[in-house]
Amino acid sequence: MALAEAALAKAGLDLRIVDWQTAAGMVGQFIWLIRFVLYLAIGIIFTVALVIINNSMVMATMERVTEIGTMRAIGAPKATIVSMFHLETLVLGLLSGSIGAITAAAAIGLGGSIGIPASGDVMIFLFGGPRLYPSLAPSNVIVGFAVILAITLVSTFYPSAIAARIRPATAMRAKE
């Protein structure tokens, strides 16, 4: 922009260079609002995913109290129990993240090839035409995959701490 302004000034043209959102005015501000709402929705979805994964891992921990107690009784250190839970969750995160990334890439690829039709004047305005042709950048897939793995691992901290605190005697008494 600075180079273009310098060239315009040198040519003696009284023009101003602005980015597209400033030039779009109200529409540019609307795009910021849409982006904020989208990021807020994504944050809520990730929070719900974290709670669901955490709940599932707590339930899995409670179902395996006897097994964990037996492992502790034969000498498994707490770090082994914690790493076992983290490894299990990492494998689940890798599998589900891969399946999700492949499915999303296929859906976006299909949408990009045939287009998503606009259902009304507002959608035509937002799409910039009668159809939206989405595209997928590899960086989006990588960031999404990394965030899913991070959420999966973070959601395992509490269940693995519960598993590490299980005492062998308590675990053996639980079945009796």
Side-chain angles (χ1 to χ4, degrees):
M1 287 176 57
L3 292 174
E5 285 177 346
L8 288 171
K10 185 177 179 181
L13 298 172
D14 188 24
L15 297 174
R16 203 174 76 168
I17 305 289
V18 295
D19 63 0
W20 72 270
Q21 285 185 321
T22 304
M26 190 75 159
V27 175
Q29 299 302 317
F30 187 63
I31 297 299
W32 280 105
L33 178 65
I34 291 173
R35 186 175 289 154
F36 173 75
V37 170
L38 177 65
Y39 287 146
L40 183 66
I42 289 171
I44 291 169
I45 289 169
F46 283 147
T47 302
V48 169
L50 188 129
V51 170
I52 290 171
I53 294 168
N54 187 305
N55 188 35
S56 298
M57 291 307 295
V58 167
M59 297 310 289
T61 302
M62 297 328 242
E63 289 175 0
R64 298 189 306 196
V65 166
T66 306
E67 297 168 27
I68 295 166
T70 303
M71 290 173 64
R72 295 278 291 131
I74 59 175
K78 290 180 180 184
T80 300
I81 302 299
V82 169
S83 63
M84 179 182 73
F85 272 85
H86 286 291
L87 182 62
E88 177 182 343
T89 306
L90 179 66
V91 169
L92 289 172
L94 286 170
L95 287 173
S96 61
S98 298
I99 291 169
I102 291 168
T103 304
I108 291 174
L110 179 65
S113 65
I114 62 174
I116 301 170
S119 60
D121 290 339
V122 173
M123 296 307 284
I124 290 172
F125 176 73
L126 288 175
F127 286 2
R131 289 190 169 278
L132 175 67
Y133 295 96
S135 62
L136 182 66
S139 63
N140 293 343
V141 176
I142 293 167
V143 168
F145 190 74
V147 168
I148 291 298
L149 280 180
I151 286 176
T152 303
L153 288 174
V154 166
S155 66
T156 309
F157 289 147
Y158 178 67
S160 64
I162 291 172
R165 286 189 303 224
I166 294 174
R167 293 188 189 133
T170 306
M172 297 303 165
R173 248 185 275 130
K175 286 293 183 178
E176 294 175 4

